Amino acid sequence: MQDTGTGFPTGPGCRRDAEARPRRRPDRALRIGFVLDIAGYGRRTVPERDEVRRRLRELVDAMLAACGLRLDSRVVDHQWTGDGINAVLPNDIDPPAVLGVLIRSLAAKLTADNTRHTDRIRVRMAIGVGLIERGVAGFGGPVIVDINRLVDSDAVRSALSGDHSADLAVALSDQAYTLI
């Protein structure tokens, strides 16, 4: 037998309606994630790396502020990677509106930052949308894997190395591209 209102089975031995519904796991959700990676990081001295990481933090803060967000694990969950960051945006944002602002604001802030410093920062960025998990070892799920592969792909590396005037190369996953 089925309940006519919910379509869930009823009767002896069947679970109640609320118990039969799929439950959302609190450690994963459909979200937008992005990865930033500094090109040429390993060729810098230790003091230069420290300075570049400090500047990257300022760039990320400014980029997120342009979207009304802040780099706070309760707002934008993130993990620093040494020469970059993995970040996950809140699930209540408007992806088409935010993605364009993220990219344009990072490009503008990066250009402004590079005019003030002799050590030019060049950044590879990848953006994806999908199921993102948070476990004890950090982020997981296919989106995190995909955008980390994208940011390290030959295509993105070549786009940045092939245009010496560019400070930013951006790759969008198929799902992110479809949203905008």
Side-chain angles (χ1 to χ4, degrees), residues 31-32 94-97 99 128-130 172-180:
R31 312 267 292 275
I32 295 174
D94 179 12
L99 290 179
V129 177
L172 299 176
S173 71
D174 290 339
Q175 296 82 0
Y177 180 81
T178 301
L179 283 175
I180 45 178

Side-chain angles (χ1 to χ4, degrees), residues 1 23-24 27 33 37 53 75 81-82 114 120 140:
M1 285 176 46
R23 297 200 175 158
R24 182 178 157 200
D27 61 337
D37 187 69
R53 280 196 312 267
V75 180
T81 61
N114 281 335
R120 180 177 170 209

Side-chain angles (χ1 to χ4, degrees), residues 65-88:
C67 299
L69 300 169
R70 67 182 187 283
L71 196 61
D72 175 326
S73 60
R74 294 166 295 181
V75 180
V76 175
D77 201 2
H78 61 282
Q79 294 174 328
W80 292 102
T81 61
D83 64 345
I85 188 172
N86 289 321
V88 178

Side-chain angles (χ1 to χ4, degrees), residues 118-141:
T118 56
D119 187 6
R120 180 177 170 209
I121 297 176
R122 301 180 80 211
V123 176
R124 294 186 305 273
M125 178 182 205
I127 303 170
V129 177
L131 191 61
I132 296 176
E133 300 175 2
R134 185 65 144 124
V136 292
F139 292 125

Side-chain angles (χ1 to χ4, degrees), residues 36 38 65:
L36 299 179
I38 299 171

Side-chain angles (χ1 to χ4, degrees), residues 7-8 10-11 14 29 35 41 55 61 67 69 99 120 125 143 155-156 169:
F8 289 109
T10 61
C14 292
V35 174
Y41 180 82
R55 289 168 55 198
D61 285 340
C67 299
L69 300 169
L99 290 179
R120 180 177 170 209
M125 178 182 205
V143 172
V156 176

